[in-house]
Structures are given as structure tokens and as C-alpha cells.
Amino acid sequence: MCIRDSVWDADKCLHCGKCIPACNHQANSFEGEGKGAYSVNYHHCTMCQHCLKVCPVGALTPKSQIDAVWEALHDKTKLVVASIAPAVRVAVGEAFGFQPGETTSGQIVASLRLMGFDRVYDTSFGADMTVMEEGREFLERLQKGENLPQFTSCCPAWVKFAEQYFPEMLSHLSSCKSPQQMFGAACKEVLTRETGRDRREIVVVSIMPCTAKKFEARRPEMAVNGNPDIDWVLTTQEFIQMVRESGIDFSVLEPASFDMPMGFKTGAGVIFGASG
């Protein structure tokens, strides 16, 4: 059964209930005894998906978008773009036998090109834009003495949490989009001008460590005339699965470079997701 951005497999579920206390907002529940029906109250859920993390048997999993990405890659009318988040690069390497902490950006880019992606960019480019815009916004607020302190708007689970539980504080959130969404909006704007293509012919696939990014990408305000800024979001594990499905030997790939200019980034963009 699909539950928005998650899938509940009733045959795997043990009805152990570990997902219930994992939610700080009492969004999860079972109806009935034994293998009862699992449900989520989306008035309480913040899309953090901690419930998936604690499931001991994999009955709760993120809803895969792999098939949709393969379909786009096989559609010759589409220009398919990948955007890679910084945190993905080390986790992918560990899955293919690289040393813990070793960055595999070049191998990821090479594997995406082998899969058929037309452009491969760096989400850190969007993070740099977010850094500049949030900084500008903060200085304006500081001058006016309004809506301080300023909170980040970059985590979709945190934004939804604020919307649901602290709506009176929403004026304190930055008005800037997250790096994922800022990149998607800029990418489609640039590529429609550069290629002359219709916006709907450009498919932007974001590769992210966070499942809440799937929810963020389909928020209605993250689209232009119904066409989303980010079309599909793959988790790190989904990307790893696509590499294996392709039969690519990741460990022997010659590193490749990001496409420019949206493959460029600064140190500010790279450490964007670090605590503090």
C-alpha cells in the first residue's frame, strides 16, 4: 500500500509497533489486531520518515521513483538532468567498496552518463545561491529589525513541522527555497533558454540523502504552471540500485567532471548541510 512517499508492505509487517513511538507527533497508527492496517495522519506527519528507519523488517520503505527515471531516460524527446547532493558522494562509495569517507563524485558522474543522463550538475551550485540569498535576506531583516531571528527554510521536514505546529513563527523562516529547489528552478530556466526546449521536455532528477526531499519536490508552489522544478527525487539507495541494474562496475570507472557552469561550487555550498 502506498502512503504518499512511503510504501507499507502488509506481508512483511510484524505489527511490532516500533514505528509508533518513533514518531514524535503521533502520526502513525494501526487499526485492528494482528496484521492490522497501517495508516498515517498527515495533519501530524512532518515527512521526516523516522518510522522507516526503525522498521526492523523493511515493511516501511521510501516510495521508489526509479521506474519513472528510467522511463524519462528512454524517452528521446526528453533532456534528462541529474543533480547530486554533497552527502551522497561518500555513502555511494562505501556501497561499492571504497574506503569510508572517500569521495566518489567523479565515478558518480561517469555512471550517470553511462545510464544516459544528458547533463550532470552539482546541487552545491544551488546551495551557493541559497547561501547568498539567505545572507541578503538576513541583512535586510537586520537593518529593519523585522522577523528576527531568521530560521533556515532548507529542510522540508522542518518547514512542514513549523507549518503544522508553530504557524505563528512562519514569518521568521527564510523566504528562500532550499538548495534542491533553487537549483531546479534555475536549471529549468537556464536550459529552456539555452536549448530552446519547452520546460516540460526538461526532466530534472535530484539525488538526495533525505527522503523528505521527495515530498518537497511535489509541493504545488515548487512548480511553474503545474510543471515541477524537480521532477523526480532518488535517494542514495535508489541511485545505488540503478547502478547495479545497469551492470556498471562502479569501482573501475574513470572519474568524470560535472557539466558547467552548474557543476561549479564553493566551499560554502559543499558544507551547507553540516551541523552548525
Side-chain angles (χ1 to χ4, degrees), residues 112-186:
L112 288 165
R113 294 225 172 91
L114 287 172
M115 289 180 202
F117 282 85
D118 298 293
R119 308 282 177 88
V120 184
Y121 295 128
D122 195 334
T123 312
S124 298
F125 182 89
D128 276 326
M129 289 192 288
T130 305
V131 167
M132 291 186 286
E133 284 301 308
E134 281 195 337
R136 178 196 56 78
E137 184 177 31
F138 173 71
L139 291 174
E140 286 183 0
R141 292 188 186 194
L142 192 62
Q143 278 188 328
K144 296 176 181 178
E146 296 175 352
N147 298 324
L148 294 171
Q150 176 177 303
F151 300 134
T152 183
S153 56
C154 293
C155 170
W158 149 242
V159 171
K160 194 167 188 291
F161 170 79
E163 288 173 336
Q164 291 173 186
Y165 295 100
F166 295 95
E168 71 278 6
M169 298 297 289
L170 290 178
S171 62
H172 288 270
L173 267 68
S174 169
S175 64
C176 297
K177 292 182 177 181
S178 72
Q180 170 179 272
Q181 296 305 137
M182 201 171 287
F183 174 85

Side-chain angles (χ1 to χ4, degrees), residues 78-111:
K78 306 293 187 185
L79 180 75
V80 188
V81 174
S83 170
I84 310 169
V88 172
R89 300 160 200 187
V90 173
V92 168
E94 288 188 41
F96 292 106
F98 286 75
Q99 290 297 312
E102 190 173 349
T103 300
T104 56
S105 303
Q107 288 85 351
I108 293 173
V109 173
S111 63

